[in-house]
Amino acid sequence: MQKEVLYLLLRTGVPTTLYYLECVGKAELAPHAVILVPLPLAIGREQVQLLASLADEGKQVVICGETGSLDEDGTPYDRPALEGLLKHRRVSFVSAAA
């Protein structure tokens, strides 16, 4: 899914910067108004907090296809890590079924 999203953005001329969530920080994402997170199946709590912080600061966060069922080591969470963030007014979710 990540590859297809990137190809779509590039083909349609949308200015895009690619970062991997596990190694990007707030400073790199600061200039961007929209943060697109395709298929975050495995996500650490630190990255969830980063996305929450960005949304709190007014960035639009778009999560696609998954809500973080696993931690960064592949261990299942009791509840998806991004579930609470989906209620934030600056966060949108696009399901894989859409």
Side-chain angles (χ1 to χ4, degrees):
M1 176 184 266
Q2 292 97 334
K3 182 175 80 170
E4 294 304 319
V5 169
L6 181 59
Y7 286 167
L8 173 68
L9 294 171
L10 293 173
R11 279 193 310 266
T12 57
V14 175
T16 303
T17 306
L18 174 66
Y19 296 106
Y20 294 97
L21 191 55
E22 61 270 8
C23 56
V24 69
K26 191 181 262 191
E28 293 94 351
L29 297 174
H32 303 284
V34 177
I35 310 301
L36 179 62
V37 187
L39 203 65
L41 175 63
I43 186 168
R45 299 234 183 253
E46 187 175 302
Q47 286 78 26
V48 174
Q49 184 53 46
L50 171 63
L51 295 173
S53 177
L54 291 166
D56 287 344
E57 293 174 6
K59 307 281 186 202
Q60 184 65 43
V61 177
V62 180
I63 300 168
C64 302
E66 180 57 65
T67 56
S69 302
L70 308 173
D71 71 10
E72 64 273 23
D73 297 319
T75 304
Y77 285 114
D78 291 334
R79 292 177 37 173
L82 295 169
E83 189 175 84
L85 188 58
L86 298 181
K87 298 174 187 165
H88 195 288
R89 65 180 185 82
R90 301 290 302 171
V91 175
S92 301
F93 178 69
V94 180
S95 75

